[in-house]
Amino acid sequence: MTSFYRLDGLDKVPEALRGAFVAIGSFDGVHRGHQAVLARLKEQARARGVPAVMLTFEPHPRDVFAPTPFMFRLTPPDIKARLAAALGLDGIVLMPFSRDLSMVEAEDFVARFLVRALRVSGVAVGADFHFGHNRRGTPDFLRAAGQVHGFAVDILDLLPEGAEPVSSSRIRAALTAGEVSAANCMLGYHWFFGGEVIKGDQRGRTLGFPTANIATASTFALAQGVYAVRARLGEKLLDGVAAYGKPMFNNELPPFETYLFDFDADIYGRHLEVALIGHIRGQEKFGGLEELIAAMTRDKLNAKDALAQCGAFGDLDRKLGFFA
């Protein structure tokens, strides 16, 4: 199969994806633990000559039950789909999650979605996976359901990283602490996000450091500080240094501000993606603009050093487009 299919729900499943081997989970981050599940999924699918498909949920189930969204999302839907394609899957199902879906009994979930809609030949899940009303759909339940309905079930242990398994929550905690290297190692690629370039207060331009600004959501919990980054503008790769947070100015919902080296074009309204290469320093308050400019000059040099020493983690990093 050469095409990659993105489905927003299971109302219209193309014949090309029926009979797939399907991995089910939230997959926020599509980290190395998830990648182990997906690699096994592809092995099982190829052995049977069927498609390999990720079935995931949007929005994140925890946000559905919260008064307002609170999850620091590592991979919003578009990025999750891009990762699935880069990993060589044949498709992704972005299942709309709601309170109504959470009330579906595990038996009905299997019958309606896995058997009737997808006609799965197999299912792969992590050892901590649960689904259905009151989380009754355990891995053991799924194994028994597979025997009844005639599909294979592959349950994979969690991938260890130090004393604990790799997990989305550990990666969120690392990014919230500014521990970019630790987060990237658990992800197996350089964490990135994107957005439309918006107009800021244009203070950076007056200081000699014009920035491309991306708005951030209230749930964006990256540690405020300064980062070495690599940006993608269309097919163009640009190195830079970025700041998140404005401790000397208005610091309420600050944008992510990227100073792109050797670049000064008008890109307002363009989509910019930014990958974090390294953490330079935390946010600081300075005694005046001269001190701030001196610090920004040091940050630029330190970011260039970090970028010069940086390489891709592997094929996935390269396929995502931030490394040649």
Side-chain angles (χ1 to χ4, degrees), residues 72-128:
F72 174 22
R73 295 300 304 276
L74 299 172
T75 47
D78 288 348
I79 289 179
K80 194 183 292 186
R82 185 157 143 204
L83 281 156
L87 287 166
L89 302 188
D90 299 302
I92 184 171
V93 178
L94 296 161
M95 191 87 168
F97 192 85
S98 64
R99 288 177 180 267
D100 287 344
L101 183 64
S102 75
M103 298 300 290
V104 173
E105 297 292 345
E107 295 88 349
D108 291 341
F109 185 95
V110 170
R112 287 169 56 187
F113 303 125
L114 301 185
V115 176
R116 288 203 293 271
L118 284 165
R119 302 177 200 160
V120 298
S121 60
V123 174
V125 296
D128 61 344

Side-chain angles (χ1 to χ4, degrees), residues 173-252:
L175 290 171
T176 300
E179 297 169 358
V180 171
S181 295
N184 288 343
C185 284
M186 286 188 280
L187 287 166
Y189 62 91
H190 289 78
W191 184 66
F192 69 100
F193 60 95
E196 179 183 325
V197 178
I198 60 172
K199 282 198 173 184
D201 53 26
Q202 298 191 310
R203 189 175 286 109
R205 185 170 296 277
T206 66
L207 300 177
F209 292 87
T211 58
N213 299 342
I214 299 173
T216 58
S218 60
T219 55
F220 189 76
L222 178 69
Q224 294 198 2
V226 178
Y227 297 88
V229 300
R230 176 157 294 157
R232 270 175 55 100
L233 183 68
E235 296 302 313
K236 189 177 183 65
L237 286 180
L238 298 158
D239 287 346
V241 59
Y244 178 54
K246 292 173 173 283
M248 294 178 65
F249 307 102
N250 179 12
N251 202 27
E252 183 177 352

Side-chain angles (χ1 to χ4, degrees), residues 261-316:
F261 302 150
D262 305 315
F263 184 81
D264 190 22
D266 182 349
I267 56 173
Y268 292 127
R270 298 279 302 276
H271 185 80
L272 185 72
E273 290 184 334
V274 180
L276 299 191
I277 303 302
H279 181 258
I280 302 299
R281 62 173 173 84
Q283 281 291 15
E284 302 175 33
K285 286 188 176 182
F286 298 96
L289 292 182
E290 287 188 6
E291 285 186 26
L292 175 59
I293 292 170
M296 293 167 73
T297 302
R298 291 193 299 271
D299 295 337
K300 175 181 176 180
L301 295 174
N302 289 333
K304 286 189 172 184
D305 286 343
L307 285 154
Q309 298 173 42
C310 175
F313 280 102
D315 286 343
L316 178 58

